Amino acid sequence: QVQLVESGGGSAQAGGSLRLSCAASGYTASTYCMAWFRQAPGKEREAVARILISSDYLYYPVYDDSVQGRFTASQDSAKNTLDLQMNRLKPEDTAMYYCAAVVSPSCPREPQYYNDWGQGTQVTVSS
């Protein structure tokens, strides 16, 4: 059974840092996509960082423009984890953050293509 378990998040002041972690279990495919999405109240869910996880190759994450240069996604394919280091946080980063995954040779940007989701973790940034 596929399971995604998130940890981390919380509150920070603008300019501060937080770290999220997602542990995936139950995946048997050699390549699959993991991603971090976020959803603020009244807004659509958006992809923050996406990366292919492979036992054979090293792939680099793709970031949304809004977090490029501030957020860093790091994967550990042996442990099936995907962390998201969030630096220089802004109030507009406030949202519920979700880990998602799908067995696919590519990482789609749209949330409807992802089969598996974590429970979500709240990130709140105050000004």
Side-chain angles (χ1 to χ4, degrees):
Q1 182 179 357
V2 171
Q3 190 175 20
L4 299 173
V5 179
E6 300 141 340
S7 59
S11 300
Q13 291 192 330
S17 300
L18 288 171
R19 188 177 184 89
L20 307 180
S21 183
C22 176
S25 61
Y27 281 94
T28 58
S30 59
T31 302
Y32 60 97
C33 175
M34 289 186 72
W36 282 101
F37 284 80
R38 66 185 181 187
Q39 187 168 21
K43 294 189 177 181
E44 294 184 352
R45 192 168 296 191
E46 62 177 1
V48 172
R50 298 166 283 141
I51 186 170
L52 278 173
I53 308 295
S54 171
S55 56
D56 299 322
Y57 301 100
L58 179 65
Y59 292 94
Y60 293 96
V62 176
Y63 299 99
D64 184 78
D65 289 345
S66 64
V67 305
Q68 182 76 46
R70 300 188 299 119
F71 290 11
T72 302
S74 56
Q75 56 138 332
D76 185 329
S77 57
K79 297 180 180 179
N80 289 346
T81 59
L82 179 66
D83 290 351
L84 185 68
Q85 178 66 39
M86 304 183 293
N87 297 329
R88 290 186 283 142
L89 285 163
K90 302 177 181 180
E92 50 263 44
D93 294 321
T94 296
M96 185 71 79
Y97 283 70
Y98 298 91
C99 178
V102 61
V103 177
S104 170
S106 65
C107 279
R109 193 173 184 175
E110 297 79 7
Q112 61 263 33
Y113 294 111
Y114 289 78
N115 298 326
D116 303 301
W117 293 84
Q119 76 281 5
T121 185
Q122 179 67 39
V123 170
T124 303
V125 183
S126 57
S127 58

